[in-house]
Amino acid sequence: MVNLSRAGVAVEAMCFSDFPTETYGEAMRTVRFVQGLGDELALFILGRFDLTHGSLVAQKPGEFGIKEVWGVGGDELGTGLFFAERRRPKRAAEQERLEDAVGALSARWRLRRYPWAGALSTAHTMLWYARHGKDVFRRVEEAVDGRVPGAGARVERARFDVARIAEESAANEAALWQRMVHAERRVSRATYEARAAQLPHALRSPGRWRTTAGAPAARSSAGRRPSHAPNATKS
């Protein structure tokens, strides 16, 4: 699903993937559509479908290939709504190829978390359009070297492998919530903290890390120019 909006003179695209019954072919057609717009787009962001109360899909789940909809115990506000499809419309290998394609497409724009510049149709983004031009978020080279107004790159020492910890932390976080939401269907702070405390501690791996606003930390090699070869990040 693609929604095009015009923010002043800048055209933005907000897309959603993983709508119930969406096939790999349908998702890739969305990717190719955005690719075809080329330099016409000032900004592109892809979101993942989320089921909400009151939506047509929630009211008639069976018509959208959904076999079950549920909430979870411990959700005091009752806002969370989860679902399971009758069958998965994408194989694991297809989902992986889709993620790779979306990643390559997204790399053409600078993306930032809300509410900072780079989010669709927010005040920060509008101000950047006005000052730097509607193509400011397509200037990928500026995002790479960290030239963000008011911020610069820093190199700091760390006792651990920052990138590896971030990756493992995200995986552990996903596993904890998957178990509570989909298997047990009950969430609580006590359960989360108890299971998080059982995870193994990170091993020490001292090093120097380069940090830049809006970008993941990268290991710094003093006296060496960073390599951009495909295997440069392999350990």
Side-chain angles (χ1 to χ4, degrees), residues 64-124:
F64 295 89
I66 293 177
K67 68 177 181 180
E68 185 180 11
V69 176
W70 72 89
V72 294
D75 179 7
E76 296 180 359
L77 298 180
T79 57
L81 201 57
F82 306 91
F83 67 94
E85 297 177 78
R86 283 195 291 266
R87 66 178 182 84
R88 288 190 174 184
K90 303 185 192 73
R91 297 191 298 271
E94 292 176 331
Q95 188 67 47
E96 185 175 349
R97 290 198 297 271
L98 175 61
E99 293 298 328
D100 289 342
V102 170
L105 177 61
S106 299
R108 297 166 56 184
W109 290 271
R110 181 188 300 181
L111 304 178
R112 299 199 178 282
R113 295 183 181 276
Y114 288 99
W116 310 110
L120 288 181
S121 302
T122 64
H124 291 81

Side-chain angles (χ1 to χ4, degrees), residues 12 25 41 51-52 67 72 94 97 151 158 193 198 202 219:
E12 304 171 335
L41 283 183
L51 189 59
T52 57
K67 68 177 181 180
V72 294
E94 292 176 331
R97 290 198 297 271
E193 291 180 346
Q198 295 174 357
R219 191 179 288 275

